[in-house]
Amino acid sequence: MTAPAQATLAVSTVIFALRSDAESDFKTLWLPLVRRTREPFHGQWALPGGGLPAAEELATAAARTLRGTTGLTPKYLEQLYTFGDPGRSPGGRVVSVVYWALVESDEAAVAEVGDNVQWFPADRLPELAFDHNRIVEYALWRLRTKVEYSRIAHAFLGETFTLAQLHDVHEAVLQKALDPANFRRTIESSGTIVDTGERVAGTRHRPPRLYRYNDSVRAVDLGPLGPSIG
Amino acid sequence: MTAPAQATLAVSTVIFALRSDAESDFKTLWLPLVRRTREPFHGQWALPGGGLPAAEELATAAARTLRGTTGLTPKYLEQLYTFGDPGRSPGGRVVSVVYWALVESDEAAVAEVGDNVQWFPADRLPELAFDHNRIVEYALWRLRTKVEYSRIAHAFLGETFTLAQLHDVHEAVLQKALDPANFRRTIESSGTIVDTGERVAGTRHRPPRLYRYNDSVRAVDLGPLGPSIG
DNA sequence: GCAAAAGTGTTCAATCTACACCCATGA
DNA sequence: TCATGGGTGTAGATTGAACACTTTTGC
């Protein structure tokens, strides 16, 4: 008997950014997809990714893919799940280690990047190649769950940010209104942000404080594996 | 240039059971390890597992390994993490998809199984092969975290159980005392267990009720991927 | 002063925690 | 009837949601 071919190993990444959306009061989640240039699923949209180079870390491969697709660097990157059903890829088994990432929401970067890369709103995706629709749904669930108990929303923002901006990010991700007063107290008492002492000038109302993320609490978000994940 | 060999895919499983322990008031967590019969790490203890057969589901491979090692069937099985550092295995890269499982704590089954399989207390392990000590630590963290917000502890018990038994499992996993009165109310109001109407006779005190796990809430434990995982 | 958003205070209800106490059985 | 664990009640503390209110700026 002939030994069946070993499964192929691939790394894919679900990349989230926030963007203003004409169809919604909230900002909404967007993600970049790449058009497949060969079979199977030729011409359909798929998650960015590819085979795993022999000497590359899994997380590094995910970050490289992300940079190659969007030109951006992930502000947050975490392993999501490994999908390996024998039938998920017609024509040869592929086991995909999937990561999910948050990137800073620069409006310019979320524009069209090229013919074969395009950003889509996460809740209005076309039919994707392979089982990628299911993967994105799971990534969305993880993002929404984690935003509630962890403090990762700042990854959508720049180095410093106002509480109102962070508030808007939480609202956009969770798709529900959050009381600004209670939100402020919850975040402040969590110790995850630090007052920079600066304020934003030039608004036509009371100038808000600028905060910075407190790096010393990051490890908690990921559990024991945290420190080793970029 | 020669293309470097593709990484090898393996599936390993961290298997937890509860067992009485002379050195502790609580029951403690034990897990089975297998002695390696070849290099690398020849003679050292390692997590049960092996290469992924070409046509086998990941979770099925984990369950098969579990059965082969312990003769038991998992009451709970979930993917833990995929470990793929290029340097984690001397002599050829191995990417390991690791599962964790809970099995019913039959004292007999947790006895010595053979020369090359042995159960160890989870917090007093020898130095294991590869990065397996780190993997077990992560699995322990996941188990303890998940017992608090999910209701998986019943997987250590039989079909029916008393609240005192479930209480003892929680105490053993979390390694701290839990008020029996409050524990009862928390579990009862969660809707995860159902009163069978039966009681345990023959105790020399008030006979406790027997409960059964409520299957209809299981899906919540695993999120959107739940239903497809055995 | 006025509009607008920043930021604070306060109330009420829900939940958690600790612990007192009653119940049902075997010996 | 007593010892033992099963099971219930309840007061106080903590947390969370709702919303009125005060502050600080630009115009």
Side-chain angles (χ1 to χ4, degrees), chain A residues 54 56-57 79 82 85 93, chain B residues 54 56-57 79 82 85 93:
Chain A
E56 193 173 39
E57 296 258 6
Q79 192 179 301
T82 297
D85 290 4
R93 184 176 188 184
Chain B
E56 191 172 41
E57 296 259 5
Q79 192 180 300
T82 297
D85 290 5
R93 185 176 188 184

Side-chain angles (χ1 to χ4, degrees), chain A residues 45-59:
Chain A
W45 296 100
L47 292 171
L52 176 68
E56 193 173 39
E57 296 258 6
L58 297 172

